[in-house]
Amino acid sequence: MILSTTPSIENKPAKQYLGIVTGETIIGANIFKDFFAGIRDIVGGRSGSYEKVLREAKEIALKEMEERALRLGADAVIGIDLDYETVGANGGMLMVTASGTAVKL
Protein backbone atom coordinates (compact mmCIF):
# COMPACT_ATOMS: atom_id res chain seq x y z
CA MET A 1 0.00 0.00 0.00
CA ILE A 2 1.36 3.37 -1.03
CA LEU A 3 0.53 6.25 1.32
CA SER A 4 1.17 9.73 -0.02
CA THR A 5 0.39 13.33 0.81
CA THR A 6 0.64 14.19 -2.90
CA PRO A 7 -2.46 14.24 -5.13
CA SER A 8 -1.08 11.50 -7.39
CA ILE A 9 1.63 8.84 -7.61
CA GLU A 10 4.28 9.60 -10.22
CA ASN A 11 4.10 7.27 -13.25
CA LYS A 12 1.14 5.41 -11.71
CA PRO A 13 -2.11 7.09 -12.67
CA ALA A 14 -5.19 6.34 -10.59
CA LYS A 15 -7.48 4.01 -12.56
CA GLN A 16 -10.31 4.16 -10.05
CA TYR A 17 -11.16 6.43 -7.13
CA LEU A 18 -12.66 4.34 -4.34
CA GLY A 19 -13.58 7.10 -1.90
CA ILE A 20 -12.37 8.97 1.13
CA VAL A 21 -10.85 6.92 3.94
CA THR A 22 -10.06 8.07 7.46
CA GLY A 23 -8.33 6.93 10.58
CA GLU A 24 -8.71 8.44 14.02
CA THR A 25 -7.14 7.99 17.40
CA ILE A 26 -7.40 9.71 20.75
CA ILE A 27 -4.55 9.26 23.20
CA GLY A 28 -4.18 10.70 26.67
CA ALA A 29 -0.95 11.77 28.27
CA ASN A 30 -0.71 10.61 31.86
CA ILE A 31 0.15 12.79 34.83
CA PHE A 32 3.80 11.69 34.97
CA LYS A 33 4.38 12.66 31.34
CA ASP A 34 2.70 16.02 32.05
CA PHE A 35 4.90 16.56 35.09
CA PHE A 36 8.16 15.73 33.36
CA ALA A 37 7.19 17.67 30.24
CA GLY A 38 6.52 20.68 32.47
CA ILE A 39 9.99 20.38 34.01
CA ARG A 40 11.54 20.04 30.56
CA ASP A 41 9.67 23.17 29.43
CA ILE A 42 11.05 25.13 32.40
CA VAL A 43 14.68 24.14 31.79
CA GLY A 44 14.39 24.08 28.00
CA GLY A 45 14.75 21.33 25.45
CA ARG A 46 12.34 18.99 23.79
CA SER A 47 9.66 16.92 25.46
CA GLY A 48 10.53 13.37 24.40
CA SER A 49 7.49 11.91 26.13
CA TYR A 50 5.07 14.11 24.16
CA GLU A 51 6.95 13.54 20.92
CA LYS A 52 6.61 9.79 21.45
CA VAL A 53 2.86 10.13 22.08
CA LEU A 54 2.47 12.26 18.93
CA ARG A 55 4.32 9.68 16.80
CA GLU A 56 2.31 6.82 18.27
CA ALA A 57 -1.01 8.58 17.65
CA LYS A 58 -0.02 9.42 14.06
CA GLU A 59 0.99 5.82 13.32
CA ILE A 60 -2.28 4.45 14.74
CA ALA A 61 -4.38 6.88 12.67
CA LEU A 62 -2.43 6.09 9.47
CA LYS A 63 -2.68 2.33 10.09
CA GLU A 64 -6.44 2.54 10.65
CA MET A 65 -6.84 4.58 7.44
CA GLU A 66 -4.72 2.08 5.51
CA GLU A 67 -6.81 -0.85 6.78
CA ARG A 68 -10.00 0.86 5.60
CA ALA A 69 -8.43 1.46 2.18
CA LEU A 70 -7.38 -2.20 1.94
CA ARG A 71 -10.96 -3.30 2.63
CA LEU A 72 -12.01 -1.21 -0.39
CA GLY A 73 -9.39 -2.94 -2.56
CA ALA A 74 -7.13 0.11 -2.83
CA ASP A 75 -3.50 0.07 -3.93
CA ALA A 76 -2.78 3.53 -2.54
CA VAL A 77 -4.12 6.43 -0.52
CA ILE A 78 -3.35 9.84 -1.99
CA GLY A 79 -3.81 13.39 -0.75
CA ILE A 80 -3.32 12.35 2.88
CA ASP A 81 -3.93 15.06 5.45
CA LEU A 82 -3.02 14.74 9.13
CA ASP A 83 -4.79 16.86 11.75
CA TYR A 84 -3.87 17.19 15.42
CA GLU A 85 -6.27 18.53 18.05
CA THR A 86 -6.45 18.57 21.83
CA VAL A 87 -9.76 17.43 23.29
CA GLY A 88 -11.25 16.61 26.67
CA ALA A 89 -11.11 18.41 29.97
CA ASN A 90 -8.26 20.94 29.95
CA GLY A 91 -7.09 19.56 26.59
CA GLY A 92 -5.74 16.45 28.29
CA MET A 93 -6.27 14.19 25.28
CA LEU A 94 -4.68 14.31 21.85
CA MET A 95 -6.77 13.45 18.79
CA VAL A 96 -5.07 12.67 15.50
CA THR A 97 -7.04 12.15 12.30
CA ALA A 98 -5.70 10.99 8.96
CA SER A 99 -7.75 11.26 5.78
CA GLY A 100 -7.09 10.67 2.12
CA THR A 101 -8.50 9.23 -1.10
CA ALA A 102 -8.28 5.47 -1.66
CA VAL A 103 -7.38 4.65 -5.27
CA LYS A 104 -6.79 1.65 -7.50
CA LEU A 105 -3.62 2.06 -9.58
Side-chain angles (χ1 to χ4, degrees):
M1 172 74 62
I2 299 171
L3 303 178
S4 178
T5 58
T6 61
S8 62
I9 306 297
E10 189 174 345
N11 298 322
K12 295 186 179 208
K15 294 178 182 165
Q16 184 180 8
Y17 291 85
L18 304 173
I20 295 171
V21 287
T22 62
E24 306 83 16
T25 188
I26 297 178
I27 293 182
N30 69 33
I31 191 164
F32 297 112
K33 288 180 185 174
D34 290 342
F35 175 74
F36 289 117
I39 291 173
R40 177 74 49 110
D41 289 341
I42 291 170
V43 298
R46 296 169 58 172
S47 175
S49 60
Y50 276 120
E51 289 174 1
K52 182 179 177 186
V53 169
L54 279 170
R55 281 191 302 274
E56 180 183 345
K58 178 191 73 161
E59 292 303 319
I60 291 169
L62 286 170
K63 185 69 175 162
E64 187 176 293
M65 182 191 64
E66 181 180 359
E67 289 170 359
R68 289 180 176 155
L70 284 169
R71 286 195 297 268
L72 294 174
D75 300 312
V77 180
I78 58 174
I80 294 174
D81 180 54
L82 293 168
D83 290 308
Y84 297 84
E85 297 287 335
T86 54
V87 295
N90 300 319
M93 306 287 281
L94 174 69
M95 178 176 68
V96 178
T97 58
S99 61
T101 303
V103 296
K104 198 91 162 128
L105 300 175

